[in-house]
Amino acid sequence: MKKPTSKTRRHNIIVVRKRAARRDGAKRRLRMQCHRQERTQKHMRFARLHYAWITAPKQFSIENEASRYAVVRFIEELRGAALSSTSLPVRIDFSQTVSMVAGGTLLFAAELDRINALRPGRITCTWPANNRVAQVLKHVGIFEALNQPHKCKVTARDVKHWKVDSGAEVRGELAAAAMQRYRHLFLDEKQTLYRGITEAMTNTRQHAYEGERGDGFANVLANWWMFSEHRDKRLIVAICDLGIGIPRSLPKNKSGIWPQILKFLTNKQLLDEDANRIRAAIAVGTSRTNEEHRGKGLMEIRSVLDGLNGRINIYSNCGNYQYDAKTKEETCSNFPNTSIRGTIVLWNIPVEQRGT
Amino acid sequence: MSRQIYVARDFSKFPAGRFRSDGPHSGERFREEVLAPALRAGVPVTIWLDGTMGYGSSFLEESFGGLVRENGFLASDLHTKLIVRSNNDNSLVTEVWSYIDGAKTRGRPVSS
């Protein structure tokens, strides 16, 4: 075997040293990676130990049974954890959430306001994985309610048109402001919607908070929350309250208007279902006051659609009443054990084809 | 000669709610502060409904039905003393009179 020259020896030494350096670099990188992982895990262990974690639903919607169930369970869990005197601060994990829809988002925003009024500063959240969800949470004020520093910009066109207001009194100017944003509406459309919105606010004021809500916590806020959005040639306006719900607001004294209600619902057993109680309250035009001149608000809330077409959904406790003005079709659905503990009136009105 | 009252000018562009406790521009407040005092003055009163954002039934019923129910005016007297007008929406005028004619008095009738 030929003896290596001094030059070859020097070259071999360099190669060996380079290999060793590469090996050391890889080891060092691996060490750093492990260290980072350990740090994250430690942080997560700390967070897991020091917060009660609640995972937000994939879809904030109350339109179908599965998503409604997920939203209601999430809110119940959140309320229970945040308002329990012994539990840890609550952290909402938004990593699974991919969609925010009007009714579910409004209900969540309203519940957060109530929880914050009862026990402020108990809930924080993680940053959502979905950018549009982050924009919605920022735009409707949920990040603010959760003390989450918001660094995202609201750029999505549909999100920009979302608007949430709330208040305790019947404020016509807020109803008017919600409609002024949609300039393509005609005056008579604005007046009709104004009528519906202010009647919904009046109903909240007079009937919604007449008793305990039934979740074990006090009624500290007797508010309404309003949501409006213009998207895909449709105007969506929703009013929400966290009160006793329409089914429970029917008169307690059965001597007054009840014969009419029972006449309307031929099968008395149907009265056990919340959606049918909503339908009866609209048709008979009554409230627990039992006074003839009152209780017409729900019919008026529905009659907003006369001449405008569109659709109205009245979600109250376990029921959902839907009326399609175009087909004049009424649909009642019940979701036992998934009460939203309150009422959401949601108008969905086509506007673009009549717009200027 | 009759007294002209424009709801938008003399009360609010945003009438809403039934009772004072509902909000600042309620039917009860309109009735007690504007409508009833004007009718008690003895001259015919013309109410112009135009110019507001709209009217809910709670506001209209409490304002006009309340004249009979709470203030004791007679519906027959109101038909001679009160003129209700709207250039934009005549159905509001019909609605107002349905509340007046349908209201049942609670208090002592006011003599005309």
Side-chain angles (χ1 to χ4, degrees):
Chain A
M1 192 178 153
K2 194 183 170 185
K3 199 179 173 185
T5 61
S6 60
K7 191 178 173 183
T8 314
R9 273 202 305 275
R10 274 201 302 277
H11 173 75
N12 287 346
I13 289 166
I14 289 167
V15 168
V16 168
R17 279 179 184 168
K18 276 184 179 173
R19 277 182 193 155
R22 273 204 295 274
R23 225 172 20 242
D24 287 350
K27 277 182 185 170
R28 199 166 48 245
R29 279 196 296 279
L30 193 66
R31 270 203 306 277
M32 290 294 289
Q33 201 178 338
C34 288
H35 177 67
R36 273 198 299 272
Q37 273 177 1
E38 270 172 25
R39 205 171 51 188
T40 311
Q41 280 167 1
K42 199 175 163 188
H43 176 74
M44 290 300 286
R45 272 199 302 275
F46 175 86
R48 295 272 165 219
L49 283 173
H50 291 80
Y51 290 104
W53 285 80
I54 297 175
T55 306
K58 196 174 172 188
Q59 195 181 17
F60 273 85
S61 165
I62 53 168
E63 284 172 15
N64 64 62
E65 194 170 357
S67 58
R68 179 187 166 114
Y69 182 83
V71 169
V72 169
R73 283 287 163 271
F74 163 71
I75 286 173
E76 278 178 2
E77 207 181 337
L78 188 65
R79 193 193 301 129
L83 300 180
S84 154
S85 54
T86 52
S87 80
L88 299 166
V90 179
R91 203 154 169 82
I92 302 172
D93 177 3
F94 280 114
S95 62
Q96 310 287 317
T97 309
V98 291
S99 164
M100 308 285 293
V101 182
T105 308
L106 183 64
L107 183 66
F108 175 46
E111 288 278 0
L112 263 185
D113 275 359
R114 179 167 179 261
I115 292 169
N116 277 338
L118 282 160
R119 292 196 74 184
R122 289 273 294 164
I123 311 175
T124 51
C125 69
T126 60
W127 194 255
N130 183 297
N131 185 257
R132 189 181 174 278
V133 169
Q135 291 187 35
V136 170
L137 293 175
K138 180 186 176 181
H139 195 60
V140 303
I142 290 175
F143 275 156
E144 208 173 319
L146 293 172
N147 301 311
Q148 173 76 34
H150 35 75
K151 52 194 173 188
C152 74
K153 275 190 177 176
V154 180
T155 50
R157 242 181 106 234
D158 52 341
V159 179
K160 275 183 184 174
H161 288 113
W162 283 39
K163 179 75 186 156
V164 173
D165 288 308
S166 76
E169 292 186 320
V170 183
R171 300 299 293 258
E173 57 271 38
L174 290 178
M179 287 174 297
Q180 291 296 355
R181 285 190 285 270
Y182 310 110
R183 292 189 183 151
H184 48 276
L185 288 178
F186 288 149
L187 180 66
D188 58 343
E189 289 173 335
K190 281 182 183 166
Q191 286 184 339
T192 313
L193 253 180
Y194 177 87
R195 197 177 166 108
I197 294 170
T198 55
E199 276 308 299
M201 289 176 180
T202 308
N203 267 9
T204 299
R205 188 79 187 164
Q206 291 179 8
H207 308 296
Y209 297 99
E210 294 241 314
E212 286 300 317
R213 196 179 173 213
D215 61 356
F217 303 105
N219 282 342
V220 283
L221 283 183
N223 273 22
W224 50 261
W225 288 262
M226 180 170 61
F227 167 90
S228 56
E229 174 193 17
H230 176 225
R231 183 173 57 167
D232 300 335
K233 300 177 181 179
R234 300 191 83 83
L235 176 65
I236 295 168
V237 180
I239 292 260
C240 167
D241 70 64
L242 302 179
I244 58 173
I246 295 166
R248 280 178 61 204
S249 72
L250 287 173
K252 279 184 175 169
N253 176 4
K254 297 198 176 186
S255 61
I257 203 92
W258 273 85
Q260 265 180 277
I261 297 174
L262 293 173
K263 200 175 158 189
F264 173 75
L265 293 170
T266 47
N267 182 353
K268 288 180 189 177
Q269 279 193 327
L270 286 176
L271 262 183
D272 294 338
E273 294 179 345
D274 283 355
N276 286 315
R277 290 173 76 103
I278 301 168
R279 186 162 154 250
I282 295 168
V284 178
T286 184
S287 68
R288 60 166 49 197
T289 62
N290 252 336
E291 293 179 296
E292 271 181 39
H293 63 282
R294 296 176 65 187
K296 307 290 182 287
L298 275 176
M299 175 56 90
E300 193 160 356
I301 284 165
R302 197 187 82 169
S303 69
V304 161
L305 298 175
D306 295 344
L308 299 182
N309 285 330
R311 201 176 66 222
I312 186 168
N313 280 81
I314 302 178
Y315 304 93
S316 195
N317 294 355
C318 294
N320 173 22
Y321 167 87
Q322 183 176 295
Y323 174 73
D324 191 318
K326 201 172 178 181
T327 59
K328 311 277 181 212
E329 194 181 332
E330 288 177 312
T331 315
C332 290
S333 334
N334 286 287
F335 305 92
N337 304 320
T338 50
S339 173
I340 61 168
R341 295 188 186 280
T343 302
I344 298 175
V345 177
L346 192 146
W347 295 275
N348 188 327
I349 300 167
V351 287
E352 193 73 18
Q353 51 268 52
R354 288 187 306 278
T356 50
Chain B
M1 190 185 148
S2 73
R3 179 168 170 203
Q4 308 285 314
I5 293 175
Y6 294 83
V7 180
R9 186 193 69 189
D10 300 324
F11 183 64
S12 171
K13 281 186 181 173
F14 310 104
R18 180 180 286 276
F19 301 123
R20 279 178 187 273
S21 56
D22 290 343
H25 311 300
S26 67
E28 186 183 18
R29 194 178 145 231
F30 175 63
R31 173 168 53 78
E32 288 185 348
E33 292 182 9
V34 182
L35 203 50
L39 286 164
R40 284 197 196 103
V43 290
V45 175
T46 304
I47 303 286
W48 289 92
L49 299 172
D50 302 316
T52 66
M53 271 306 294
Y55 296 93
S57 64
S58 299
F59 177 90
L60 290 179
E61 203 290 326
E62 191 58 37
S63 300
F64 294 95
L67 286 172
V68 177
R69 193 174 50 255
E70 307 295 336
N71 297 87
F73 287 95
L74 293 173
S76 53
D77 286 345
L78 289 173
H79 275 279
T80 58
K81 279 181 170 179
L82 182 67
I83 300 161
V84 184
R85 291 210 188 284
S86 171
N87 289 327
N88 292 337
D89 187 357
N90 209 40
S91 70
L92 284 175
V93 178
T94 314
E95 190 180 343
V96 163
W97 284 111
S98 75
Y99 294 138
I100 291 173
D101 294 330
K104 289 172 186 164
T105 185
R106 267 183 195 161
R108 201 176 53 179
V110 171
S111 57
S112 53

